[in-house]
Amino acid sequence: MGLPLRSEIDSRYKWKIEDLYATDELWEKEFETVSSKVSKEPSYKGRLAESEEILYAALQESDELEAAVEKLYVYANQKYYEDTANARYQGYAGQVQGLMTQFYAVYSYQEPEILAMSEEVLKACIESQGEIKLFSQYLKNILRQKQHILSEELENVMANASDMAQGAKDIFSSFNNADIRFGTIKGSDGEEIEVTHGKYSLLMENKDRRVRKDAFKAIYSA
């Protein structure tokens, strides 16, 4: 009993990724639009301490852009995990990982700049009943984590390093989910069963000890 192709599975058992983007072409168009926005200098960099209104506008700008990047990320990665051997979606996942890294590098100025504000001003923003109250919990967390936040330069370095740090994990994931094969074992009824990550947990719950043992050996010997 081999692993069925995704195209052979009833649609009711699949995530409806089309709710995010109806086609790949729409994803690509949105990727270009969001990429151009991420590439621009943030509108409020260096101005966060000017007023409560400026701080709100800056946080709203980055919040909306981050949501757009994350939407692209979810689509690309869900499509990638449908079939990790699919070159198109490997490319999408790699592209959007780079875009996310770029976004965090571009907006890494925010937390150090917020912390450079006086605590009195920052606490006034947290307690304000204006639009900035939408971000009051975020500002509280920044104050709480103050000793762990680096300078703008070092936060930027850390953000840019995330692509490199993610590399080994991505390579292993691709190999582990797309390339490696675990062979087959005989089920309790003598039928051949292809061992996969998806079937492994069920095989390990089988009442037959020999089936559990063979499944374990198939996965970990590979």
Side-chain angles (χ1 to χ4, degrees):
M1 184 168 58
L3 188 68
L5 298 174
R6 191 171 191 276
S7 58
E8 298 170 342
I9 299 171
D10 193 301
S11 60
R12 61 183 165 160
Y13 299 121
K14 303 174 189 177
W15 49 58
K16 195 176 179 186
I17 200 69
E18 298 79 17
D19 285 351
L20 290 177
Y21 298 99
T23 66
D24 289 347
E25 289 69 30
L26 288 173
W27 183 91
E28 291 171 4
K29 184 177 179 181
E30 182 74 0
F31 182 88
E32 291 301 319
T33 300
V34 175
S35 293
S36 66
K37 291 179 180 178
V38 171
S39 299
K40 293 177 182 176
E41 183 79 3
S43 307
Y44 302 98
K45 186 175 182 179
R47 299 179 56 200
L48 301 191
E50 285 184 16
S51 69
E52 182 180 302
E53 291 72 26
I54 291 292
L55 178 58
Y56 168 77
L59 293 176
Q60 186 71 2
E61 175 187 75
S62 59
D63 197 49
E64 289 175 355
L65 191 52
E66 183 176 20
V69 172
E70 286 183 350
K71 183 181 175 185
L72 290 165
Y73 181 90
V74 170
Y75 180 90
N77 279 274
Q78 295 298 78
K79 295 296 285 185
Y80 167 64
Y81 283 116
E82 288 177 3
D83 177 4
T84 52
N86 187 306
R88 167 178 278 199
Y89 300 123
Q90 285 178 1
Y92 280 13
Q95 283 178 272
V96 81
Q97 180 63 46
L99 180 64
M100 188 165 276
T101 297
Q102 184 184 6
F103 168 80
Y104 286 123
V106 168
Y107 284 89
S108 62
Y109 82 91
Q110 282 190 338
E111 291 189 359
E113 193 170 319
I114 290 170
L115 284 175
M117 298 163 61
S118 72
E119 283 200 21
E120 292 75 18
V121 170
L122 200 48
K123 286 177 179 176
C125 289
I126 290 170
E127 294 166 6
S128 170
Q129 292 304 304
E131 289 182 309
I132 194 66
K133 70 179 179 181
L134 179 66
F135 296 101
S136 61
Q137 187 60 50
Y138 170 72
L139 296 174
K140 286 178 186 176
N141 286 338
I142 289 181
L143 273 178
R144 182 171 55 82
Q145 298 167 9
K146 183 174 183 177
Q147 61 181 323
H148 305 294
I149 295 174
L150 304 172
S151 66
E152 179 182 340
E153 181 183 7
L154 290 177
E155 287 287 349
N156 184 269
V157 169
M158 291 293 289
N160 277 306
S162 63
D163 252 357
M164 176 187 67
Q166 184 77 9
K169 179 183 176 183
D170 289 344
I171 292 167
F172 172 75
S173 176
S174 205
F175 172 72
N176 191 36
N177 290 298
D179 299 327
I180 196 169
R181 292 291 178 268
F182 303 107
T184 60
I185 63 171
K186 286 190 183 296
S188 300
D189 56 3
E191 185 180 2
E192 289 287 327
I193 301 173
E194 182 182 1
V195 180
T196 66
H197 287 301
K199 292 177 182 175
Y200 180 66
S201 60
L202 290 175
L203 291 169
M204 293 304 290
E205 293 175 1
N206 194 287
K207 293 179 179 179
D208 189 329
R209 182 178 182 276
R210 194 265 312 158
V211 172
R212 298 196 303 272
K213 180 179 178 181
D214 288 352
F216 181 90
K217 288 177 69 176
I219 287 282
Y220 288 101
S221 62

